[in-house]
Amino acid sequence: LTAYDGEPVAGSFGDILLWWRVQVSILTWWQNVVFVALHVVPLVALAAMWWSLASVVRQSRRESVFTAANARLLSLAGVVIAVGAPLLTVATWAFHRWVVDSSQLAGRVEVPALGLESVPWTAVAAGLALLVLGSVWRRGVALQQDVEGLV
């Protein structure tokens, strides 16, 4: 990597992949914690969401799946995806800025600006679709309660 002033930048331990790869020296303890959190928290949230949705599928084999709890679960999953994905993007960008600004690259390398093209629009759309599905599910719960005992 060559910095803005034309001098080579010495690197060693950590990589940050932006549009190019930058190697920085040892991260601080807090930077390591944030780095791990940025990778682990989304995976844990995704695993919990899939586990919960799998429980809805298991429930559908035994009883009615149109319950208020399942409607809330779908809506919650939608919010987590629609809000969480852009939040993760911003947090990752802020982490990259923090690492670069606190490294030997400070003032020599610039982290690209965060723009609307950085927003994971597919994830936002999927989250909004789950919110709509949760709303439809609540309507299904109400309809099921209306016709209960009539058949």
Side-chain angles (χ1 to χ4, degrees):
L1 174 73
T2 303
Y4 290 138
D5 59 7
E7 294 180 32
V9 177
S12 55
F13 299 101
D15 290 343
I16 298 176
L17 183 61
L18 300 167
W19 284 313
W20 27 259
R21 183 172 298 260
V22 175
Q23 290 188 341
V24 296
S25 58
I26 300 172
L27 299 175
T28 66
W29 186 83
W30 277 111
Q31 288 171 336
N32 278 314
V33 169
V34 172
F35 177 81
V36 170
L38 284 172
H39 288 82
V40 172
V41 170
L43 293 175
V44 169
L46 192 60
M49 197 169 11
W50 279 109
W51 182 264
S52 298
L53 292 175
S55 72
V56 171
V57 172
R58 281 192 306 272
Q59 178 188 6
S60 71
R61 295 181 182 156
R62 295 185 310 263
E63 56 192 73
S64 174
V65 73
F66 289 106
T67 64
N70 289 344
R72 280 191 304 275
L73 177 68
L74 287 169
S75 295
L76 177 63
V79 169
V80 167
I81 292 172
V83 174
L87 186 61
L88 179 63
T89 300
V90 171
T92 302
W93 175 82
F95 173 74
H96 289 164
R97 293 264 328 227
W98 178 32
V99 169
V100 168
D101 290 346
S102 66
S103 73
Q104 72 272 19
L105 302 172
R108 297 173 64 190
V109 174
E110 187 176 309
V111 175
L114 187 66
L116 287 177
E117 70 278 356
S118 302
V119 176
W121 293 110
T122 305
V124 172
L128 293 175
L130 280 174
L131 278 169
V132 169
L133 185 59
S135 175
V136 170
W137 217 266
R138 274 190 289 286
R139 179 73 177 132
V141 170
L143 288 174
Q144 184 177 17
Q145 290 172 349
D146 288 345
V147 298
E148 196 168 309
L150 295 178
V151 180

